[in-house]
Amino acid sequence: MAKILIMITSWSGVHHHPNDTDEHTVFEVLTTKPLKVLIQYLDLTALVQNAIIRLYAKIDGTNYKEIDSTRRIVADRKGFSAVDVAVDTDFKLTAQSINAEGAVRDIPWRYITEKVV
């Protein structure tokens, strides 16, 4: 009987969010095989302006399309998380401040993936 091996991997980093109102990629995941993202989250507590967080996927395998977005209010002092997202194409998470931050702000991020190996 064949055994199925599951590999769980944790990824993390810091996005240095610029002092502007442009949309910036926080992290991008490049994949060609099915992958389950168990959880992804951002620590937005350093931001001093409201922000929009967007999730994109290459649904057609070539071009990014916006899948979901959420507006985060600075006064809420919340981060962002998404749980159990299955993908088989590239995807990315972006952040865009509504007003310039006044300085570069660090956004720590982490995601954990699961795949069959």
Side-chain angles (χ1 to χ4, degrees):
M1 176 183 266
K3 291 185 179 183
I4 296 176
L5 298 176
I6 304 291
M7 181 167 53
I8 296 177
T9 307
S10 176
W11 309 87
S12 62
V14 176
H15 166 65
H16 304 293
H17 194 63
N19 178 29
D20 61 26
T21 58
D22 296 339
E23 182 177 11
H24 298 279
T25 298
V26 176
F27 65 80
E28 183 174 22
V29 177
L30 307 175
T31 186
T32 57
K33 297 184 179 184
L35 178 72
K36 183 175 182 182
V37 182
L38 302 174
I39 188 167
Q40 53 189 318
Y41 38 67
L42 308 176
D43 179 353
L44 303 173
T45 56
L47 298 183
V48 298
Q49 299 295 328
N50 297 336
I52 300 170
I53 307 302
R54 293 182 181 93
L55 174 64
Y56 292 88
K58 289 184 179 175
I59 299 170
D60 64 2
T62 304
N63 303 299
Y64 275 115
K65 300 293 181 192
E66 184 176 332
I67 303 303
D68 197 8
S69 68
T70 184
R71 186 175 177 138
R72 288 296 188 233
I73 308 299
V74 133
D76 292 344
R77 304 302 289 174
K78 292 183 179 179
F80 167 84
S81 68
V83 179
D84 286 340
V85 177
V87 297
D88 63 353
T89 62
D90 301 345
F91 74 97
K92 68 179 178 177
L93 210 62
T94 67
Q96 179 178 15
S97 292
I98 303 300
N99 297 301
E101 288 287 327
V104 173
R105 307 288 178 191
D106 287 346
I107 300 176
W109 56 265
R110 177 176 297 274
Y111 66 90
I112 300 168
T113 60
E114 173 184 270
K115 69 179 176 179
V116 176
V117 291

